[in-house]
Amino acid sequence: MAAASFVRNGKKIVAIGRNYIDHVKELNNAIPKEPFFFLKPTTSYLLSGGNVEIPRGVVAHHEVELGLVIGKTGRDISQENAESYIAGYALAVDMTARNFQDEVKKKGLPWSTVKGFDTFTPVSSFIPKSEVADPHNLNLWLKASEAEWSNFRYDVPYPSFDRARIVHHDIGGPLVPGDQVVCGLADATTKQELVKLEFGVVARNAGYLYQPQ
């Protein structure tokens, strides 16, 4: 299944928020007692090789993610059965209009827009489940021009599989027009690279303009 297939047929992107403690602290957010999730529109998908378009006035931050591609419908899924619903994995980047998000959060308003701009979910090709020996033991890395962010180990929240497509994020910073971004996902034990995701960053010079209120 190529990226284009699950991107074309996927019905929703469900992301788990505030599940990486260092990033929660970085943003001075409260640590939730249980995971919460938010939706991103599938129109925000960007295939590898494309360009993230940053709307005018937006400061765009990135977070590299492990994506779970759910292969069948389910409800009230037990932890014991959750893994059977996974068809495979993908590497993804969750883009956020951070300055816009800061404003709407202070006002108590929804922040779907800040996550849902076109091109704000770069995604790799599909990784079959059989190629991932242990989803708890993966290396995720991202390089943006001269900067590099990486994460080495984490736990996949199996109880959330019926709700989550993207389940883990890593600390990231702003991306600016002209950046060239390369991300990778590898087995932490064998060092075998499973997939790579690449995209550029450009300014969107038409359409939406963010102006602080």
Side-chain angles (χ1 to χ4, degrees):
M1 183 190 299
S5 179
F6 75 81
V7 166
R8 181 174 60 251
N9 298 320
K11 296 181 179 179
K12 58 180 175 289
I13 305 169
V14 185
I16 301 297
R18 299 186 188 178
N19 67 329
Y20 191 63
I21 300 303
D22 286 348
H23 192 46
V24 173
K25 293 177 179 177
E26 178 196 29
L27 297 178
N28 295 315
N29 289 325
I31 299 174
K33 294 182 179 180
E34 62 180 60
F36 74 91
F37 65 94
F38 58 90
L39 300 176
K40 297 189 71 170
T42 56
T43 51
S44 69
Y45 274 136
L46 173 72
L47 297 179
S48 186
N51 288 318
V52 165
E53 299 177 355
I54 300 179
R56 295 176 297 166
V58 162
V59 176
H61 282 210
H62 69 275
E63 301 162 64
V64 63
E65 315 267 2
L66 173 67
L68 309 183
V69 180
I70 307 304
K72 58 183 179 180
T73 301
R75 187 180 184 189
D76 299 327
I77 301 170
S78 67
Q79 183 173 357
E80 292 74 21
N81 295 327
E83 188 175 357
S84 68
Y85 285 79
I86 301 173
Y89 304 89
L91 185 63
V93 174
D94 176 28
M95 297 295 300
T96 306
R98 188 69 75 199
N99 56 336
F100 190 179
Q101 184 187 45
D102 289 343
E103 179 180 347
V104 296
K105 282 171 64 176
K106 290 176 182 178
K107 296 177 179 179
L109 298 173
W111 36 276
S112 298
T113 302
V114 310
K115 296 280 191 177
F117 286 109
D118 290 351
T119 75
F120 263 36
T121 310
V123 65
S124 74
S125 59
F126 178 76
I127 308 167
K129 185 177 178 180
S130 60
E131 294 185 10
V132 179
D134 182 0
H136 302 277
N137 190 36
L138 298 171
N139 283 355
L140 289 80
W141 59 266
L142 182 149
K143 294 181 180 179
S145 296
E146 298 302 319
E148 179 173 357
W149 292 265
S150 61
N151 179 71
F152 298 103
R153 190 176 178 89
Y154 58 90
D155 289 325
V156 175
Y158 283 137
S160 298
F161 277 1
D162 61 324
R163 297 182 297 170
R165 184 180 298 265
I166 295 174
V167 298
H168 179 79
H169 59 245
D170 196 4
I171 289 179
L175 294 179
V176 297
D179 277 342
Q180 293 295 317
V181 181
V182 182
C183 315
L185 177 67
D187 185 295
T189 300
T190 66
K191 311 302 181 184
Q192 178 186 357
E193 185 175 84
L194 300 172
V195 77
K196 187 173 285 186
L197 168 62
E198 302 181 63
F199 57 92
V201 182
V202 299
R204 185 180 180 190
N205 295 317
Y208 181 78
L209 169 64
Y210 170 66
Q211 295 178 301
Q213 301 298 315

